[in-house]
Amino acid sequence: MVRPKTEEEIALMRENAILVSKTLAVVGKAVAPGVTTLELNRLAETYIRDHGAIPSFLGYEGFPAALCISVNDTVVHGFPSDYVLKEGDIVSVDCGTLYKGYNGDSAYTFPVGEVDAETRKLLETTKASLFKGIEKAVDGNRIGDIGHAVQSYAESAGFSVVRELEGHGIGRHMHENPGVPNYGRPGSGPKLVSGMTICIEPMINAGTRGVYLAKNGWEVHTADHKNSAHFELTVVVRKGVPEVLSTFDYIEKSDVEF
Ligand code: MG
Ligand code: MG
């Protein structure tokens, strides 16, 4: 049984989600041809620690960095490295923080310089599929309603949904129940209850949905080596309209100061 969060807990998670959102924006400002993914990781870790939080991915089951940074055909869980970003790449940045005992977790896929039209469509579709899923995160719906909304939107645009990985509940632990798949049947799965906090995180492939695990045991790649995109937000299930705790506004709106 999933325990809905109290409003006091949600208030702490709201603060944390904003910190994660700002961290992603700090990283996004630095994304450019010629920058290494290790440099992006360093910027994020510094920002997180300067704001009194802990980068929760670092050391999580042995993960070696503050961020998961996944370039092009890497779906998720990429290691920051001395790889130098180049024009036309896409870079998925996934960030987790621990703050006042609660977890935050969000992700964004950035284009590096100009990307081709198909890649831009992949990014736009993946982000839009996330918001389609969020719309379903209301009291009385079921987990399958979220997955179905994500899947039907992404597939109708001609892309495919990774099934081996999924979103999750979040709170004192980074990964709590329920799992939140990005595919499913309407009306199936656990019931959504007001106060549940979940991360919705579609991973959408330009080509086929197949993936494989790299030899390092972490990095997930597309089987056909075509691009994959990943967007994630933390959401509170509410009656009527869900509350989105994290935001892409710091990334996308130049008039939002932080
Ligand atoms: Mg994440
Ligand atoms: Mg997550």
Side-chain angles (χ1 to χ4, degrees), residues 57 94 105 201 232:
F57 294 176
D94 195 348
D105 183 13
E201 49 178 315
E232 175 179 21

Side-chain angles (χ1 to χ4, degrees), residues 124-221:
E124 285 167 2
T125 300
T126 307
K127 187 169 68 174
S129 75
L130 165 58
F131 286 100
K132 292 289 178 188
I134 288 171
E135 282 175 17
K136 301 294 181 184
V138 294
D139 185 278
N141 275 354
R142 290 182 180 271
I143 283 291
D145 294 310
I146 296 173
H148 178 75
V150 171
Q151 178 185 15
S152 53
Y153 187 85
E155 290 182 350
S156 68
F159 298 125
S160 61
V161 176
V162 174
R163 300 194 183 198
E164 287 79 357
L165 300 132
E166 63 184 18
H168 49 91
I170 185 167
R172 286 199 170 275
H173 301 279
M174 183 156 57
H175 296 123
E176 299 185 351
N177 287 328
V180 185
N182 296 301
Y183 66 97
R185 284 179 294 108
S188 68
K191 204 166 216 173
L192 297 169
V193 177
S194 204
M196 282 172 61
T197 46
I198 57 174
C199 290
I200 305 177
E201 49 178 315
M203 289 150 266
I204 306 297
N205 292 352
T208 55
R209 71 173 172 86
V211 296
Y212 70 93
L213 190 62
K215 284 202 190 88
N216 65 22
W218 278 101
E219 293 176 318
V220 176
H221 295 275

Side-chain angles (χ1 to χ4, degrees), residues 57-114:
F57 294 176
L58 182 62
Y60 183 84
E61 293 180 4
F63 191 79
L67 297 179
C68 298
I69 304 186
S70 307
V71 178
N72 295 341
D73 73 331
T74 309
V75 179
V76 286
H77 304 161
F79 290 5
S81 73
D82 56 8
Y83 176 79
V84 179
L85 295 173
K86 62 180 194 305
E87 184 92 12
D89 283 346
I90 57 171
V91 57
S92 300
V93 178
D94 195 348
C95 178
T97 59
L98 182 66
Y99 182 71
K100 297 182 180 174
Y102 288 85
N103 283 274
D105 183 13
S106 291
Y108 196 93
T109 302
F110 299 94
V112 182
E114 286 297 312

Side-chain angles (χ1 to χ4, degrees), residues 6-7 10-11 13-15 17-18 134-139 194-198 200 233-247:
T6 65
E7 291 305 321
I10 291 169
M13 292 183 68
R14 193 179 290 118
E15 283 183 56
I18 294 301
I134 288 171
E135 282 175 17
K136 301 294 181 184
V138 294
D139 185 278
S194 204
M196 282 172 61
T197 46
I198 57 174
I200 305 177
L233 288 168
T234 301
V235 179
V236 186
V237 174
R238 297 289 194 188
K239 288 195 197 322
V241 181
E243 179 184 355
V244 188
L245 293 183
S246 46
T247 175

